[in-house]
């Protein structure tokens, strides 16, 4: 308790009187009791005195010492006070002993005598004791455990070795018990000799010897190592060969003509058995044993392993560590040639041989894949690092980024460090170490954001934070393409906090869709409050248009549309950083937003999007052209090298790998399935098949007939068929007020919502059909007496709508367009999702589901797909909804690829082919 806490107690009680300390000598140590003077009230530690009360204590120094001993856990609770154990007293400084009135520890003059003959009923040891002028104090002194009260009433303390010996003698088994008495005699004689206690001639002549120790011997035949027990004795009066025979045989007694009767301490015999039971060490365990033999030995109390390592070394087992290295060899004028490889290093740290990465791979082909940690080579053992696979992958990234020559300039050395940063025990040479030191000095590799940032980042978000700092340090742009729901915004806020802490924040421009302005402001104010004073939202009629005034703000947030309108003002500001969120807004290089953003004067550029490729690889090129101009060449060059090869029918994995290698320096993407595995609750997809209603069947047949009679285009018909499956009133206004029961899909959806209501939970309903959104709202309002929100492209201040929805407790419903809700929204208060209509692009649909299934979700999530089916088998391939559902399911895996665009999925054409044959 601190002094202020103590002081507060002062106001609640009367003045505290003097504390009396009473010491008592106990068999287990020093007893300590504290009483308040004049009262029978015991005082507990730690003390709860005010500063004044403590100063008024007459025994203040001793009280503070006792409190220190209490906090250091040297005192134990004992009855109504405390105990300083005997073994703790032995190591206490003299000034502590003096303060606690502990007498001096004075060695006694001991002599081992006996009564009666060995083998008779009257035999016993007698320990004669003397101290200075006092003789035979075993008869005249008072003993309280290790304390001796001498005849003159003075006290002294017995040393530990002598006290242990006195206690051993006091065991004194029945002299008629031959199984116990002879080992006991041997043990007492052995212990007396060990600590230098003389004994009478009769005991000296007794041929009883005692084995009380155990060691381990080793036998190695080249194939296996056998551990064998060897007995030892502290008196060294038994030959090693005899001790070895006793140990290997597991004997507890031996009679030798030359050395008399030898008894083995039962505990030592038990330890020998444990060692004998250790299995032979073979295979992969041989090098493990050579490196860490203690790990193979059970915890055996008293086992002396000081010289064990030397015994293991004498076996001649050599183990080399495969040490990955990355060296930058200077070529002049700031250029370096990268060399990567593996060194074989012995236990002393000396390099025996170097291999290039390719040489090592050829020589030890398949070794890493075997899963073994060690392998034999030329009779020796090689230990593979745990990071072998990671190192090999990193070397491949280097090749992809810099080519086979691996020639780089000095500015790329931080990127090399970034590629290899998560690989342990990696050796760098001086140029790389110098860059690493500089990065460490300015906190580039520090995973902890500054104190102004109050959120707790997940490990992959910390990785993103360090990566963005590294990009900023290297003066490179970056594309953070994490899946929706992995917290791209919070990672950027952590970067802004770092820039603020380093004094490099001002001025920073963040460009976002209009619907995300409020969300960005909220995130900054919530998790980096000091940055809120630096925040300027550039929108509205009264927005600032003076470049100097705009440049004075630490963080300016605006929309793509406003940026285009005010491009002259923004273009005159020298931005420290320009960050664009939902960067698919600049996926078309010909749009005004794309051109203006790329024209901004910025030292550092960052783009955020979960969908860098949605409709074609040219979108990736456009975003990368903003992030790092020139990295992918011109659009025509990019088309020849990548687009033409990746967007044809025969997808080339080698070309895809080459593209990813090219952009890997400035590109980071993590998926939810990888990063949040086991951290999010379960997600269950529920497919619900529903028949067409009678009106729907009629309209469906009419549309099919019009296509076959050439009166209607197939693509137009597909949209009509989808509308009819959702609600016939979307195709024919006469049926807008058709009863719910006549539209099975709507009726089943209401039943699903009713199930959610019973659970007291929330549900999101996704449909891209605007009229269907209104029909759903009207139906839900009538059925549940609530007025659900709708979020679509027309919604203003949608973050406020979402906040209110999240804050309401209990059952609720929200209706959304998958596109309008696909970015920037966190709606984890809901854990049910209904995709009333399917969208062509599974990536967009997944993003919509991710509004619910993301960091912060604590409940199991259910995703429902109500699918109108042809239950009568009239249609050749099923309804349009069945076909779309089936094709999207087949394409689902492609949705996570960043280089396979949805153009290749061609869902609409496949649907038309299936519907109309």
């Amino acid at each position: 308790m601190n002094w202020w806490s103590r002081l507060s107690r002062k106001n609640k009680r009367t003045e505290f009187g003097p504390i009396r300390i009473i010491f008592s000598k106990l068999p287990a140590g020093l007893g300590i009791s504290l009483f308040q003077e004049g009262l029978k009230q015991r005082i507990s530690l730690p003390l709860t005195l005010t500063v004044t009360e403590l100063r008024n204590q007459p025994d203040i120094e001793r009280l503070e010492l006792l409190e220190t001993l209490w906090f250091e856990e040297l005192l134990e609770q004992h009855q109504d006070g405390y105990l300083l154990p005997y073994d703790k007293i032995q190591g206490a400084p003299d000034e502590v002993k003096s303060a606690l009135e502990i007498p001096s520890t004075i060695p006694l003059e001991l002599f081992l005598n006996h009564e009666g003959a060995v083998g008779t009923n009257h035999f016993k040891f007698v320990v004669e004791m003397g101290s200075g002028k006092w003789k035979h104090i075993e008869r005249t002194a008072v003993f309280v455990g290790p304390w001796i009260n001498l005849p003159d009433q003075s006290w002294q303390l017995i040393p530990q070795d002598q006290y242990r010996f006195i206690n051993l003698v006091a065991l004194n088994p029945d002299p008629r018990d031959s199984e116990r008495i002879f080992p006991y005699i041997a043990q007492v004689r052995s212990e007396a000799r060990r600590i230098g206690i003389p004994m009478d001639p009769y005991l000296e002549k007794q041929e009883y010897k005692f084995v009380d120790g155990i060691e381990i011997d080793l036998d190695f035949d080249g194939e296996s190592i056998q551990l064998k027990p060897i007995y030892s004795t502290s008196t060294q009066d038994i030959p090693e060969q005899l001790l070895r025979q006793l140990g290997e045989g597991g004997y507890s007694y031996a009679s030798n003509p030359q050395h008399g009767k030898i008894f083995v301490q039962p505990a030592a015999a038990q330890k020998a058995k444990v060692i004998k039971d250790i299995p032979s060490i073979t295979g992969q365990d041989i090098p493990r044993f050579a490196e860490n033999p203690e790990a193979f030995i059970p915890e055996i109390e008293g086992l002396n392993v000081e010289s064990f390592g030397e015994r293991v070394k004498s076996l001649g087992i050599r183990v080399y560590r495969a040490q990955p290295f990355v060296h930058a060899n200077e070529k002049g004028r700031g250029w370096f040639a990268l060399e990567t490889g593996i060194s074989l290093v012995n236990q002393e740290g000396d390099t025996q041989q170097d291999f290039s990465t390719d040489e090592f791979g050829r020589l030890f082909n398949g070794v890493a894949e075997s899963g073994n940690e060690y392998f034999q080579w030329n009779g020796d053992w090689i230990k593979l690092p745990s990071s072998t696979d990671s190192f090999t992958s990193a070397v491949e990234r280097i090749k992809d980024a810099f080519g086979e020559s691996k020639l780089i300039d000095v500015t790329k050395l931080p990127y090399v460090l970034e590629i290899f940063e998560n690989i342990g025990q990696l050796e760098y040479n001086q140029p790389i170490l110098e860059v690493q030191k500089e990065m460490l000095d300015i906190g580039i590799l520090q995973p902890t954001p500054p104190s102004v940032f109050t959120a707790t980042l997940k490990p992959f978000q910390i990785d993103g934070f360090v990566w963005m700092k590294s990009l900023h340090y290297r003066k490179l742009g970056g594309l953070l393409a994490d899946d929706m729901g992995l917290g791209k915004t919070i990672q950027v806020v952590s970067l802004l906090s770092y820039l603020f802490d380093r004094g490099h924040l001002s001025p920073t421009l963040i460009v976002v869709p209009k619907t995300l302005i409020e969300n960005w402001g909220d995130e900054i104010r919530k998790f980096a409050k000091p940055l809120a004073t630096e925040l300027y939202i550039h929108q509205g009629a009264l927005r600032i248009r003076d470049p100097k005034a705009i440049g004075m703000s630490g963080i300016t947030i605006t929309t793509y549309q406003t940026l285009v309108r005010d491009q002259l003002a923004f273009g005159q500001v020298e931005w420290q950083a320009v960050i664009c969120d939902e960067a698919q807004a600049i996926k078309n290089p010909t749009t005004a937003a794309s051109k203006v953003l790329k024209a901004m004067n910025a030292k550092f550029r960052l783009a955020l999007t979960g969908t860098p490729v949605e409709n074609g690889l040219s979108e990736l090129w456009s975003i990368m052209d903003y992030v790092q101009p020139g990295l992918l060449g011109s659009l025509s060059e990019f088309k020849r090298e990548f687009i033409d090869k990746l967007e044809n029918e025969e997808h080339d994995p080698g070309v895809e790998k080459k593209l990813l290698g090219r952009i890997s320096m400035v590109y980071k993407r993590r998926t939810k399935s990888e990063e949040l595995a086991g951290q999010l609750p379960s997600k269950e997809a529920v497919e619900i098949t529903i028949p067409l209603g009678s009106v729907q069947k009629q309209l469906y047949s009419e549309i099919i007939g019009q296509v076959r009679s050439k009166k209607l285009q197939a693509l137009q018909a597909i949209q009509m068929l989808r509308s009819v499956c959702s609600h016939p009133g979307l195709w024919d206004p006469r049926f807008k007020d058709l009863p719910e029961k006549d539209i099975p899909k709507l009726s089943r959806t209401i039943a699903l919502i009713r199930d959610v209501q019973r659970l007291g939970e929330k549900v999101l309903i996704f449909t891209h059909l605007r009229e269907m959104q209104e029909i759903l709202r009207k139906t839900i309002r009538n059925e549940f007496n609530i007025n659900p929100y709708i979020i679509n492209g027309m919604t203003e201040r949608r973050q406020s709508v979402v906040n209110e929805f999240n804050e309401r407790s209990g059952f609720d419903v929200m209706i959304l367009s998958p596109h309008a809700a696909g970015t920037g929204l966190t709606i984890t208060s809901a854990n049910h999702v209904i995709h009333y209509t399917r969208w062509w692009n599974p990536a967009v649909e997944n993003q919509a589901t991710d509004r619910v299934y993301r960091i912060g979700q604590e409940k199991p999530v259910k995703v429902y797909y109500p699918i109108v089916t042809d239950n009568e088998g009239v249609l050749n391939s099923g309804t349009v909804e069945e076909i779309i559902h089936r094709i999207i399911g087949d394409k689902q895996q492609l949705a996570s690829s960043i280089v396979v665009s949805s153009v290749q999925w061609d869902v609409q054409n496949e649907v038309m082919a299936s519907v109309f044959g």
Side-chain angles (χ1 to χ4, degrees):
M1 182 176 294
N2 60 40
W3 295 116
W4 291 110
S5 299
R6 298 176 186 179
L7 191 60
S8 67
R9 291 191 171 198
K10 173 76 168 61
N11 299 325
K12 301 178 182 178
R13 66 182 183 195
T14 57
E15 189 69 27
F16 204 96
I19 297 175
R20 185 183 176 197
I21 306 171
I22 298 176
F23 298 111
S24 54
K25 294 172 178 62
L26 305 173
L30 180 68
I32 304 167
S33 299
L34 293 85
F35 294 90
Q36 188 173 359
E37 191 82 12
L39 300 175
K40 294 183 178 180
Q41 180 181 353
R42 290 186 181 272
I43 305 300
S44 298
L45 295 173
L47 302 172
T48 56
L49 306 182
T50 67
V51 176
T52 302
E53 288 169 344
L54 190 61
R55 285 175 178 163
N56 290 336
Q57 289 297 321
D59 217 351
I60 180 173
E61 292 183 359
R62 197 142 46 179
L63 286 171
E64 289 180 328
L65 172 61
L66 290 176
E67 193 168 49
T68 299
L69 295 175
W70 168 258
F71 283 119
E72 292 181 0
E73 299 184 350
L74 296 174
L75 297 184
E76 300 174 1
Q77 291 284 162
H78 182 75
Q79 296 177 353
D80 294 327
Y82 303 94
L83 175 74
L84 180 61
Y86 171 63
D87 60 335
K88 299 289 195 304
I89 292 174
Q90 295 299 308
D94 289 341
E95 56 269 25
V96 171
K97 293 180 181 178
S98 175
L100 301 181
E101 300 177 3
I102 297 173
S104 300
T105 302
I106 302 175
L108 299 174
E109 299 162 9
L110 301 183
F111 182 79
L112 184 61
N113 210 328
H114 77 287
E115 293 180 2
V118 174
T120 69
N121 295 343
H122 304 292
F123 174 80
K124 72 174 183 178
F125 285 112
V126 175
V127 180
E128 297 177 358
M129 308 179 196
S131 179
K133 65 178 181 179
W134 306 103
K135 307 299 179 185
H136 292 288
I137 58 173
E138 75 276 5
R139 303 172 191 166
T140 58
V142 176
F143 290 81
V144 181
W147 313 94
I148 305 175
N149 188 217
L150 296 169
D152 63 355
Q153 302 304 304
S154 64
W155 288 88
Q156 72 180 59
L157 196 58
I158 305 175
Q160 270 185 307
D161 273 356
Q162 292 189 341
Y163 184 55
R164 190 180 298 114
F165 179 75
I166 293 168
N167 285 334
L168 172 64
V169 172
L171 293 174
N172 199 29
D174 187 335
R176 293 168 295 184
D177 186 346
S178 59
E179 289 188 4
R180 295 180 60 203
I181 190 64
F182 295 115
Y184 163 74
I185 292 170
Q187 184 177 5
V188 171
R189 290 176 71 254
S190 176
E191 185 66 10
R193 287 183 174 176
R194 187 185 71 81
I195 62 176
I197 299 174
M199 61 188 77
D200 66 34
Y202 176 80
L203 294 176
E204 281 283 3
K205 288 190 297 183
Q206 298 302 312
E207 292 297 326
Y208 300 109
K209 295 181 179 177
F210 188 70
V211 173
D212 57 358
I214 188 80
E215 295 178 3
I216 296 180
D217 195 18
L218 301 170
D219 184 20
F220 179 47
D221 61 6
E223 298 292 332
S224 66
I225 302 172
Q226 184 67 50
L227 277 65
K228 299 179 179 180
I230 304 177
Y231 287 132
S232 64
T233 174
S234 55
T235 55
Q236 300 181 343
D237 56 357
I238 304 174
E240 182 178 337
Q241 186 59 35
L242 183 53
L243 291 170
R244 185 184 298 273
Q245 291 174 2
L246 287 171
E248 292 180 0
Y251 303 116
S252 57
Y253 167 77
S255 180
N256 184 282
Q258 185 177 356
H259 298 285
K261 295 179 176 63
I262 301 172
F263 296 93
V264 178
Q265 184 187 47
Q270 180 59 38
K271 294 171 187 175
K273 183 180 184 307
V274 171
I275 294 170
K276 282 175 64 68
D277 290 341
I278 297 174
S280 296
I281 297 167
T282 59
Q284 292 274 306
D285 283 338
I286 291 176
R288 291 192 184 99
F289 178 80
E291 288 199 312
N292 185 16
E294 287 81 2
F296 289 77
I297 304 172
E299 292 187 12
I300 300 175
E301 185 180 356
L303 180 66
N304 180 15
V305 294
E306 288 183 5
S307 61
F308 192 60
E310 291 301 317
R311 291 194 181 188
V312 173
K313 192 179 292 185
S314 69
L315 298 178
I317 302 170
R318 286 189 293 270
V319 182
Y320 295 106
R321 172 170 48 88
Q323 169 70 66
F325 66 81
V326 180
H327 293 164
N329 301 312
E330 192 165 1
K331 296 297 181 181
R333 297 184 180 180
W335 286 89
F336 295 87
L338 275 185
E339 180 186 358
T340 60
I342 307 286
S343 299
L344 299 187
V345 181
N346 64 18
Q347 292 180 338
E348 286 73 37
D350 299 321
T351 299
Q352 302 300 301
Q353 191 165 349
D354 285 337
F355 298 96
S356 71
T357 309
D358 291 339
E359 288 172 340
F360 191 83
R362 288 193 297 270
L363 187 60
F364 305 113
N365 184 35
V367 171
E369 289 77 5
S370 70
N372 291 333
E373 183 182 7
Y374 299 85
F375 61 94
Q376 281 191 290
W377 178 67
N378 292 343
D380 296 324
W381 288 93
I382 311 297
K383 180 180 181 180
L384 285 173
S386 59
S387 57
T388 301
D389 291 342
S390 301
F391 178 69
T392 303
S393 299
V395 171
E396 288 301 314
R397 285 183 63 190
I398 288 290
K399 287 182 181 178
D400 291 339
F402 303 122
E404 290 294 335
S405 69
K406 302 177 191 173
L407 195 64
I408 62 173
D409 63 61
V410 69
T411 65
K412 302 301 188 299
L413 289 180
Y415 176 59
V416 174
L417 279 168
E418 181 189 326
I419 287 178
F420 291 99
E421 70 173 322
N422 293 320
I423 300 173
Q425 300 178 333
L426 187 62
E427 178 200 301
Y428 297 115
N429 68 341
Q430 194 59 36
I432 302 178
L433 290 173
E434 289 172 358
V435 173
Q436 186 181 49
K437 181 179 184 303
E438 182 180 353
M439 294 177 75
L440 287 170
D441 288 345
I442 62 176
I444 299 298
L445 302 179
Q446 169 58 252
T448 306
S451 58
V452 296
F453 181 77
T454 56
T456 300
L457 296 178
K458 291 184 175 293
F460 71 89
Q461 294 172 330
I462 292 173
D463 177 59
F465 167 62
V466 173
W467 174 74
M468 288 185 289
K469 288 194 296 178
S470 175
L471 288 176
H472 184 269
Y473 168 75
R474 290 185 275 137
K475 298 178 176 60
L476 294 174
L479 170 56
L480 182 60
D482 286 351
D483 267 358
M484 295 291 179
L486 290 183
K488 294 187 286 294
T489 305
I490 197 65
Q491 293 177 66
V492 174
V493 174
S494 69
L495 172 70
L496 297 177
S497 300
Y498 165 77
L499 296 176
F500 174 81
D501 189 64
R502 299 289 302 179
H504 295 155
L505 177 66
S506 183
T508 292
L509 174 64
I510 303 175
V511 187
V512 302
K514 183 179 181 181
T515 52
L516 292 186
I517 279 192
E518 192 174 347
N519 179 65
W520 269 92
D522 289 346
E523 293 284 291
I524 292 171
R525 283 184 283 268
K526 182 177 180 181
F527 297 116
K529 196 172 182 178
L531 274 65
T533 59
E534 304 277 333
L535 189 60
Y536 163 56
I537 307 298
H538 184 83
Q539 66 175 350
L542 299 179
R543 63 185 185 272
I544 301 170
R545 288 179 171 83
D546 178 9
K548 291 184 179 179
I550 293 174
M552 294 296 291
S553 298
I555 303 171
T556 298
I557 302 179
T558 193
T559 68
Y560 288 97
Q561 294 83 356
T562 307
L563 175 69
V564 170
R565 292 192 189 99
D566 296 347
Q567 57 181 288
L568 292 177
F570 281 109
Q572 295 178 59
V573 178
E574 293 185 7
W575 298 103
Q576 166 65 29
V578 174
I579 300 164
C580 64
D581 193 10
E582 301 301 343
Q584 59 268 33
I586 58 170
K587 64 186 179 182
N588 185 340
T590 64
T591 63
S594 183
K595 291 177 180 177
V596 171
L597 197 60
K598 292 176 184 181
M600 289 296 103
N601 180 8
K603 296 179 181 177
F604 174 64
R605 296 178 175 189
L606 187 66
L608 315 175
T609 177
T611 54
V613 176
E614 190 173 32
N615 297 304
L617 274 176
S618 62
E619 298 174 356
L620 176 64
W621 179 89
S622 183
I623 296 172
M624 293 302 299
D625 189 49
Y626 155 73
V627 166
Q628 195 62 41
L631 183 65
L632 294 179
S634 67
L635 181 56
S636 58
E637 291 170 338
F638 182 72
K639 184 177 184 297
R640 286 194 300 271
E641 189 173 4
F642 295 108
I643 295 179
D644 291 346
K645 296 175 182 177
L646 289 173
E647 291 191 350
N648 58 23
E649 292 183 3
E650 295 182 4
H651 179 76
D652 188 340
V655 176
E656 179 178 343
K657 181 181 178 184
K658 181 181 178 182
L659 173 57
L660 291 174
R662 180 82 61 84
I663 65 176
S664 62
M665 190 186 309
V666 295
Y667 171 80
K668 185 173 285 290
R669 177 176 176 82
R670 280 79 58 90
T671 64
K672 200 180 316 182
S673 59
E674 293 170 344
E675 302 301 341
L676 298 182
Q679 299 178 46
L680 287 178
S682 62
K683 181 174 72 170
E684 178 185 1
V686 182
E687 181 182 337
I688 302 169
T689 57
I690 303 159
L692 284 165
S694 58
V695 174
Q696 289 170 304
K697 287 180 187 177
Q698 178 187 340
L699 294 176
Y700 201 99
S701 297
E702 289 178 6
I703 295 170
I704 295 290
Q706 289 184 43
V707 173
R708 288 175 178 164
S709 63
K710 309 294 185 181
K711 295 179 181 179
L712 194 63
Q713 295 293 322
L715 183 57
Q716 184 183 4
I718 290 294
Q719 305 302 334
M720 294 177 179
L721 292 175
R722 297 186 71 191
S723 297
V724 167
C725 288
S726 294
H727 194 291
L730 300 181
W731 163 238
D732 190 333
R734 293 176 299 163
F735 301 111
K736 272 202 171 176
D737 295 325
L738 200 66
E740 176 191 318
K741 63 181 178 62
D742 292 334
I743 311 164
K745 184 169 187 173
L746 181 58
S747 178
R748 186 68 180 91
T749 299
I750 295 302
L752 279 176
I753 298 172
R754 191 168 287 112
D755 292 339
V756 174
Q757 183 188 36
R758 292 191 191 99
L759 296 171
E761 297 176 342
K762 296 180 182 179
V763 59
L764 305 185
I765 307 173
F766 287 100
T767 177
H768 66 287
L769 302 170
R770 289 278 179 86
E771 288 184 81
M772 193 64 230
Q773 294 169 4
E774 293 296 339
I775 291 172
L776 282 166
R777 174 152 66 180
K778 179 181 178 181
T779 306
I780 292 167
R781 184 167 55 230
N782 294 338
E783 291 285 339
F784 300 98
N785 199 31
I786 63 172
N787 194 33
Y789 288 123
I790 294 178
I791 290 184
N792 53 38
M794 301 300 292
T795 307
E796 298 286 340
R797 298 183 63 82
R798 66 179 186 165
Q799 188 61 52
S800 299
V801 170
V802 169
N803 289 345
E804 187 173 341
F805 180 80
N806 282 332
E807 289 165 7
R808 285 186 199 161
S809 60
F811 168 70
D812 210 341
V813 183
M814 184 183 288
I815 303 163
L816 310 96
S817 159
H819 267 98
T823 57
L825 296 181
T826 298
I827 320 177
T828 50
S829 63
N831 62 309
H832 298 266
V833 174
I834 300 173
H835 285 285
Y836 192 84
T837 54
R838 303 299 304 271
W839 188 241
W840 302 114
N841 190 332
V844 173
E845 201 172 67
N846 291 342
Q847 291 165 25
T849 301
D850 284 345
R851 302 309 100 208
V852 164
Y853 196 64
R854 61 196 295 132
I855 295 172
Q857 181 57 262
E858 298 177 353
K859 297 178 181 178
V861 170
K862 283 195 173 184
V863 184
Y864 307 92
Y865 298 96
I867 307 297
V868 171
T869 61
D870 174 26
N871 61 326
E872 296 178 358
V874 175
L875 305 172
N876 291 333
S877 302
T879 67
V880 66
E881 289 203 345
E882 287 180 279
I883 295 168
I884 292 174
H885 182 69
R886 183 173 64 249
I887 293 174
I888 287 179
D890 293 339
K891 307 289 185 183
Q892 192 67 246
Q893 188 174 4
L894 292 175
S896 61
S897 174
I898 68 119
V899 296
V900 181
S901 69
S902 58
V903 167
Q904 291 178 258
W905 302 338
D906 204 9
V907 176
Q908 287 185 339
N909 287 332
E910 287 191 44
V911 170
M912 285 190 291
S914 297
V915 172
F916 302 115

